[in-house]
Structure formats: C-alpha cells, structure tokens
C-alpha cells in the first residue's frame, strides 16, 4: 500500500466583483506604467490604467499553487512590505504564520550580505537579555538612555527577522516597485519571488507576479488573506499526515493481536 501524500490545497479564488470591490483594478497613471506591464492592462480611464482582473485571478492562482507546493515541502518564505498603509497588514499575517518579515525598511544587503544581518539579529537578542540583567541596573541614566536608543533601532530593523537563521527559499513582496532592491538581491541569489505588482513595474523580474493595486489596504489585504490561508492549509495537511503516520507505526495493531491471544487463553 502506497504512503499517502499531501495534495496541493488552495483557497477558492475571488471573482471579478470581489476584486473590483477592493479597488484591485486601479493601476498607475498611464505615463508611469512600465511597458512590460501592458499584458495585464485592460484599458485606461481618465488617464489611469485599469488592470485586467481576469489576468489577476489567473496569475494569483498560479502564485498560490506555487506557495502551496513550497509550503508542503517545508520551504521558507520572507515577507516584505514596508509602505505605511500596508506594513501592519503584512506584519499581522507573517506573525500569525511565524514567518520572518520586513515591514519597516529594507536594509541593503539583507540577502546579499546576510552574515552581517545575522550578527545584528544576535546583537538584538543579547541586548534584550542584557536589559534584564543586574548589571544593566547599575548603568547611569545616560548609559541606559543610549542603550535603549540602540535597542529600539535594532528592534525596528530586525525584530521580524529573529527566526531567519538562513537565507529564505522564497521572497513574498507587497509592491514590487517599492521593494525593487529586495527583488534585485533575491534575483542575484536565485531566490524565487512572488509579488503583488502594479502597472509601474516590470513583471518579468518576478517569478510569480500578481497584478493588482498594491497601494490600497483592501486590495492588499485580500491577497494576503489568500496567501495566509494557502500556507496554513498546506502546513496543516502535512502535519495531519505525519500524525496519522505516527499512529500507524505506534504498535497499536500489535496490541490488538495480544488482546486476541488473551481471549483464547
């Protein structure tokens, strides 16, 4: 009998009306659009590009299938989205999934100079421990103030990266244009990129682009919720199969056999 293998699980795709209600169809002004984004543009209205939501649904489904596949085999993600209006949304989703994230500012070299980033993460942890020590209580008021200032900056830059012990297997980005440096670093290292991208960025630089309005919270929130559901369902499916496999190999059949022998005696 073959071992049961987890199948890919992706949520039900939103329809065009649901996407339309979030404003996902609004792109950038025509003069700011990237020529390579033309296949995703339906038309324009009062100088604003209108994104083809049928393409959005198709491309989003492809992206979610990829995320499901990577989650199923234990691959890691780094979530990136630093714009004010969406940073809290990204933090909430990444935090609930226990996935590393950057929602404040992308520091150049986060991927390409990862050893330095790891040192800063270690420093953050050590400073937090030091703050709880008796030695810290002996610091002068000025020393404590300087210490706190450094700690606040470290937390702002690296708090979401605490669990990132190695380079991520994948990058998930909200607003490709805003996070162009992150995408460039990922491409240099061969790290696949999934990204919500508006009409102002070259989608060919993204492995799995999701064409949609990346400037408004409802549009971004809809995509983030689907990504969250995809990761959760596929991770849970793998966990359930592991539990079933463990039960199967726990010796329960042997126990039943012993019970039968006892009855005969």
């Amino acid at each position: 009998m073959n071992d049961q293998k987890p199948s890919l699980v992706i949520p039900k795709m939103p329809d065009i009306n649901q996407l339309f209600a979030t404003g996902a169809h609004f792109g950038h002004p025509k003069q700011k659009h990237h020529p390579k984004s033309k296949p995703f543009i339906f038309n324009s209205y009062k100088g604003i590009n209108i994104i083809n939501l049928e393409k959005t649904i198709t491309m989003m489904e492809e992206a979610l299938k990829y995320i499901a596949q990577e989650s199923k085999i234990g691959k890691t993600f780094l979530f990136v989205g630093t714009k004010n209006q969406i940073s809290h949304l990204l933090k909430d989703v990444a935090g609930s999934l226990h996935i590393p994230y950057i929602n404040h500012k992308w520091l150049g070299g986060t991927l390409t100079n990862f050893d330095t980033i790891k040192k800063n993460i270690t420093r953050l942890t050590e400073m937090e421990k030091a703050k709880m020590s008796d030695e810290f209580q002996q610091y002068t008021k000025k020393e404590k103030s300087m210490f706190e200032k450094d700690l606040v900056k470290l937390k702002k830059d690296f708090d979401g990266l605490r669990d990132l012990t190695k380079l991520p297997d994948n990058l998930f980005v909200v607003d490709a244009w805003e996070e162009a440096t992150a995408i460039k670093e990922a491409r240099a290292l061969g790290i696949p990129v999934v990204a919500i991208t508006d009409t102002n960025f070259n989608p060919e630089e993204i492995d799995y682009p999701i064409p949609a309005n990346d400037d408004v919270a409802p549009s971004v929130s809809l995509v983030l919720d689907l990504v969250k559901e995809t990761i959760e369902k596929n991770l849970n499916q793998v966990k359930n199969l592991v539990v079933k496999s463990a039960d199967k190999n726990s010796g329960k059949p042997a126990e039943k056999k012993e019970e039968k022998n006892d009855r005969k005696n």
Side-chain angles (χ1 to χ4, degrees):
M1 188 174 181
N2 293 330
D3 291 336
Q4 187 178 359
K5 294 182 179 180
S7 57
L8 295 184
V9 182
I10 63 170
K12 181 182 177 182
M13 290 295 99
D15 59 33
I16 288 178
N17 289 332
Q18 289 172 309
L19 286 168
F20 189 86
T22 69
H25 57 294
F26 286 118
H28 278 264
K30 288 177 66 176
Q31 63 268 28
K32 290 186 178 180
H33 93 276
H34 193 286
K36 294 292 180 68
S37 70
K38 190 174 181 180
F40 302 142
I41 297 174
F42 178 68
N43 59 21
S44 63
Y45 178 73
K46 293 184 177 181
I48 302 295
N49 283 318
I50 302 300
I51 295 170
N52 186 333
L53 294 180
E54 289 184 349
K55 293 285 183 69
T56 299
I57 293 170
T58 300
M59 301 299 286
M60 182 156 51
E61 187 170 16
E62 289 181 14
L64 292 178
K65 284 179 180 178
Y66 174 75
I67 291 171
Q69 175 65 34
E70 291 293 281
S71 300
K72 186 185 73 171
I73 59 177
K75 297 293 185 178
T76 59
F77 284 84
L78 172 61
F79 279 28
V80 183
T82 62
K83 281 199 304 195
N84 289 335
Q85 61 267 44
I86 58 91
S87 63
H88 66 288
L89 298 174
L90 182 126
K91 179 181 179 181
D92 289 345
V93 170
S96 68
L97 294 170
H98 306 290
I99 286 177
Y101 66 89
I102 294 176
N103 75 323
H104 167 57
K105 179 183 178 183
W106 180 271
L107 299 177
T110 295
L111 297 178
T112 52
N113 194 16
F114 186 61
D115 286 342
T116 299
I117 299 300
K118 284 200 296 183
K119 289 176 183 177
N120 281 299
I121 296 170
T122 300
R123 184 166 171 248
L124 169 59
T125 304
E126 290 174 346
M127 286 187 71
E128 287 178 328
K129 290 179 181 178
K131 186 180 177 181
M132 304 300 293
S133 69
D134 293 336
E135 183 181 352
F136 179 76
Q137 304 307 319
Q138 307 303 317
Y139 284 9
T140 65
K141 186 176 180 179
K142 183 178 179 180
E143 287 172 335
K144 286 182 178 179
S145 177
M146 292 175 64
F147 184 97
E148 290 284 1
K149 187 176 179 180
D150 288 344
L151 183 56
V152 167
K153 187 177 185 308
L154 281 172
K155 286 190 73 171
K156 201 170 187 180
D157 290 337
F158 304 106
D159 196 38
L161 298 176
R162 292 174 185 270
D163 298 327
L164 193 65
T165 57
K166 64 179 184 65
L167 283 171
D169 297 310
N170 299 279
L171 209 63
F172 176 80
V173 172
V174 176
D175 193 338
W177 186 85
E178 184 78 17
E179 314 302 342
T181 302
I183 292 173
K184 184 177 180 180
E185 289 189 29
R187 285 172 59 83
L189 296 172
I191 297 173
V193 177
V194 181
I196 305 175
T197 180
D198 213 318
T199 58
N200 60 342
F201 191 81
N202 181 4
E204 293 183 1
E205 294 185 21
I206 306 166
D207 298 277
Y208 296 90
I210 302 172
N213 186 345
D214 54 20
D215 290 316
V216 296
S219 172
V220 171
S221 184
L222 183 148
V223 178
L224 282 173
D225 286 345
L226 289 170
V227 170
K228 177 184 176 182
E229 187 178 349
T230 299
I231 293 174
E232 283 179 334
K233 284 187 173 181
N234 285 278
L235 286 178
N236 287 337
Q237 188 186 50
V238 172
K239 288 177 183 177
N240 289 337
L241 287 177
V242 170
V243 169
K244 287 179 182 178
S245 178
D247 288 343
K248 184 178 178 181
N249 298 320
S250 64
K252 288 182 180 179
E255 291 173 5
K256 289 181 180 178
K257 187 176 180 180
E258 287 176 6
E259 287 177 7
K260 288 181 180 178
N261 289 335
D262 288 341
R263 286 173 188 168
K264 286 180 181 180
N265 294 333

